[in-house]
């Protein structure tokens, strides 16, 4: 008998302090020209299902990225339409859900739990539901109760997304054929700063990742360590551990092992960023040739964490200090982009970032600049976390500010906020980070993989 497996999803990482968003900010990946099979969001999972001879039923798969809270009515509309499509796709032998786990709406602190409960109500208790989660998911009891298996990315930066998609699809296939496991989970009383959640060797979360991978064998199917997402401002925010095993004893023992280690390492998570003044001094040394080239991560304004990408503090400080040979981006300011496009490549003009803003984190900054490049195209990174995905900075430009020396400060400006997680994002607007003494990226940590 051919197994019928539904693939669908709702992925939203919410910065609760960012501006609210509506349904139009999201993308239903199932509506791409090649459907989910050709999508970055689902391709690796569907490849496993295809190889197993399963019949894949493609269903609505909403991707909102990292933004502000979703309008509650819009979320309920998405759920209602998903339920309608899912009902029409019955009967199904399993569901692969492309989730995230750090969502929030204007009136629901746990939309991921609400979404999974709605799916469970349609397919019933016997159909296995497997969910892919982001490493930064805020794990709720409702999410765990509604799903049969949750699989979180193991890495941060997230370079194992295809592997976790494949793992989830394989597990759902096994469950659809009759194998069933038992889940256990716990949330620890720790809310970690995002910069303390790298999983490379030597980092505290890296030690946890290695331990989880060691014990995920034999009777233990999978172990996930979730760093949590403090910016979601959710009651479920914080570090969590989740496991599925043959028995409740094995699953509970795996969770207890990793959770105990996480608690023992708690003092190592107290990590602080470098001050802006010290960062500018480091950049000045690099520009003067007194040290090797340097990357400054403007981590507080990371669009990958829902920030708007429009703060000017770093730009203004580098300009005031006369730091030369800087490449930075992407600064999000559609008004500046419009002015550059109206002036044309090679034009000198006066621009004001955040013009008219009275927001304390979007301080205006006026400068003279030369237009270096104009571009209006989809960005497809070739490396790092977003390799092969379609990103949408919108109409963009590159400017050279007149402050500094001969090469000055060259900044990429976009109409839509996009995390600078790889060199392709800067090259997209004609900037070459490999030839700069100072590179400034609006990214918290994903740039390390790109």
């Amino acid at each position: 008998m051919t197994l019928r497996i539904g693939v669908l999803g709702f992925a939203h990482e919410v910065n609760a302090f960012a501006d609210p968003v509506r349904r139009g900010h999201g993308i239903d990946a199932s509506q791409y020209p090649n459907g989910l099979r050709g999508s970055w969001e689902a391709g690796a999972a569907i490849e496993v299902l295809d190889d197993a001879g399963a019949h894949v039923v493609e269903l609505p798969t909403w991707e909102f990225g990292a933004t502000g809270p979703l309008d509650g009515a819009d979320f309920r509309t998405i759920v209602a339409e998903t339920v309608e499509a899912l009902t029409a796709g019955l009967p199904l032998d399993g569901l692969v859900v492309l989730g995230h786990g750090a969502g929030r709406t204007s009136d629901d602190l746990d939309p991921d739990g609400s979404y999974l409960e709605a799916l469970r109500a349609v397919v019933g208790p016997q159909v296995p539901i497997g969910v892919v989660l982001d490493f930064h998911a805020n794990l709720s009891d409702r999410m765990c109760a509604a799903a049969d298996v949750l699989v979180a990315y193991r890495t941060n930066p997230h370079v194992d997304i295809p592997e976790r998609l494949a793992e989830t699809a394989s597990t759902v296939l096994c469950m659809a054929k009759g194998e069933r496991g038992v889940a256990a989970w716990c949330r620890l009383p720790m809310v970690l700063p995002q910069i303390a959640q790298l999983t490379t060797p030597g980092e505290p979360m890296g030690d946890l990742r290695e331990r989880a991978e060691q014990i995920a064998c034999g009777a233990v199917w999978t172990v996930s360590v979730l760093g949590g997402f403090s910016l979601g401002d959710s009651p479920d925010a914080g570090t969590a551990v989740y496991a599925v095993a043959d028995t409740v004893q094995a699953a509970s023992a795996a969770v207890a092992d990793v959770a105990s280690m996480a608690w023992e390492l708690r003092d190592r998570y107290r990590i602080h960023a470098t001050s802006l003044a010290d960062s500018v001094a480091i950049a000045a040394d690099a520009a003067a040739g007194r040290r090797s080239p340097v990357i400054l991560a403007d981590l507080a304004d990371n669009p990958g964490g829902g920030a708007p990408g429009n703060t000017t503090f770093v730009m203004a400080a580098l300009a005031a200090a006369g730091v030369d040979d800087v490449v930075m981006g992407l600064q999000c300011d559609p008004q500046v982009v419009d002015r550059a496009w109206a002036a044309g490549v090679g034009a000198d003009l006066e621009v004001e970032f955040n013009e008219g803003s009275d927001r304390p984190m979007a301080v205006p900054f006026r400068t003279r600049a030369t237009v270096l490049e104009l571009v209006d195209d989809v960005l497809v990174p070739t490396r790092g976390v977003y390799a092969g995905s379609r990103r949408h900075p919108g109409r963009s430009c590159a400017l050279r500010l007149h402050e500094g020396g001969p090469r000055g400060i060259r900044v990429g400006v976009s109409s839509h906020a996009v995390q600078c997680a790889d060199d392709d994002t800067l090259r997209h607007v004609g900037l070459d980070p490999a030839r700069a003494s100072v590179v400034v990226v609006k990214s918290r940590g994903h740039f390390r993989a790109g």
Side-chain angles (χ1 to χ4, degrees), residues 126-189:
Q126 300 305 315
V127 174
I129 298 178
V131 187
V132 183
L133 294 178
D134 192 279
F135 176 84
H136 296 114
N138 292 323
L139 195 68
S140 75
D141 291 343
R142 293 171 62 205
M143 292 163 57
C144 296
D148 294 279
V149 61
L150 305 173
V151 178
Y153 310 155
R154 296 178 184 173
T155 58
N156 180 34
H158 312 319
V159 294
D160 66 326
I161 296 175
E163 289 82 358
R164 302 290 76 79
L165 289 167
E167 178 185 349
T168 305
S170 296
T171 304
V172 169
L173 285 170
C174 290
M175 289 183 164
K177 294 174 183 176
E179 297 183 37
R180 289 302 174 102
V182 181
W185 63 91
C186 79
R187 287 189 301 276
L188 289 88

Side-chain angles (χ1 to χ4, degrees), residues 217-243:
C217 61
V220 180
W221 297 16
T222 186
V223 180
S224 291
V225 179
L226 303 108
F229 195 62
S230 59
L231 296 175
D233 198 29
S234 158
D236 298 311
T239 306
V241 182
Y242 174 96

Side-chain angles (χ1 to χ4, degrees), residues 360-378:
M361 299 302 290
V363 177
F365 173 64
R366 181 174 296 177
T367 182
R368 288 201 62 81
T370 299
V371 181
L372 302 178
E373 190 84 16
L374 300 173
V375 62
D376 186 7
D377 201 359
V378 172

Side-chain angles (χ1 to χ4, degrees), residues 381-443:
T382 61
R383 70 177 84 201
V385 174
Y386 299 109
S389 69
R390 294 171 59 86
R391 317 206 72 208
H392 302 274
R395 198 162 70 156
S396 303
C397 68
L399 304 175
R400 181 180 65 79
L401 310 190
H402 289 186
E403 287 87 354
R407 303 194 70 188
I409 297 171
R410 287 152 287 158
V411 55
V413 190
S414 62
S415 296
H416 305 299
V418 171
Q419 179 183 188
C420 188
D422 43 72
D423 58 342
D424 290 303
T425 302
L426 294 169
R427 297 183 195 280
H428 180 72
V429 292
L431 300 178
D432 185 359
R435 296 171 60 86
S437 298
V438 180
V439 179
V440 182
V441 295
K442 287 187 179 287
S443 173

Side-chain angles (χ1 to χ4, degrees), residues 45-313:
I46 293 181
E47 183 177 352
V48 169
L49 299 174
D50 285 341
D51 289 345
H55 176 76
V56 177
V57 180
E58 297 189 20
L59 297 164
T61 302
W62 283 92
E63 168 64 58
F64 282 87
T67 54
L70 175 62
D71 178 81
D74 284 2
F75 171 68
R76 287 186 288 276
T77 298
I78 287 172
V79 172
E81 292 177 353
T82 300
V83 164
E84 181 179 2
L86 179 58
T87 303
L90 295 178
L92 293 172
D93 300 294
L95 284 182
V96 174
V97 180
L98 311 171
H100 185 287
R104 177 171 170 163
T105 78
S106 57
D107 54 14
D108 189 343
L109 296 179
D110 183 18
D112 297 283
S114 300
Y115 176 82
L116 292 175
E117 287 176 347
L119 303 185
R120 177 60 74 191
V122 174
V123 300
Q126 300 305 315
V127 174
I129 298 178
V131 187
V132 183
L133 294 178
D134 192 279
F135 176 84
H136 296 114
N138 292 323
L139 195 68
S140 75
D141 291 343
R142 293 171 62 205
M143 292 163 57
C144 296
D148 294 279
V149 61
L150 305 173
V151 178
Y153 310 155
R154 296 178 184 173
T155 58
N156 180 34
H158 312 319
V159 294
D160 66 326
I161 296 175
E163 289 82 358
R164 302 290 76 79
L165 289 167
E167 178 185 349
T168 305
S170 296
T171 304
V172 169
L173 285 170
C174 290
M175 289 183 164
K177 294 174 183 176
E179 297 183 37
R180 289 302 174 102
V182 181
W185 63 91
C186 79
R187 287 189 301 276
L188 289 88
M190 302 193 303
V191 179
L192 307 184
Q194 301 304 311
I195 56 174
Q197 296 187 28
L198 296 173
T199 59
T200 46
E203 299 281 352
M205 295 300 283
D207 293 346
L208 286 177
R209 177 183 62 81
E210 291 177 1
R211 182 57 183 160
E213 290 176 348
Q214 288 171 0
I215 63 177
C217 61
V220 180
W221 297 16
T222 186
V223 180
S224 291
V225 179
L226 303 108
F229 195 62
S230 59
L231 296 175
D233 198 29
S234 158
D236 298 311
T239 306
V241 182
Y242 174 96
V244 172
D246 288 340
T247 66
V248 67
Q249 292 84 359
S252 298
V255 169
D257 184 308
V258 178
S260 296
M261 183 178 180
W263 181 250
E264 291 168 0
L265 295 174
R266 62 190 180 278
D267 290 336
R268 291 176 58 193
Y269 303 119
R270 295 190 172 96
I271 297 175
H272 301 279
T274 307
S275 71
L276 180 57
D278 289 346
S279 299
V280 171
I282 291 170
D285 284 345
R290 294 188 292 269
R291 61 163 295 156
S292 57
V294 64
I295 295 177
L296 305 184
D298 189 5
L299 56 90
D301 194 25
N302 167 33
N310 64 359
T311 66
T312 57
F313 303 113

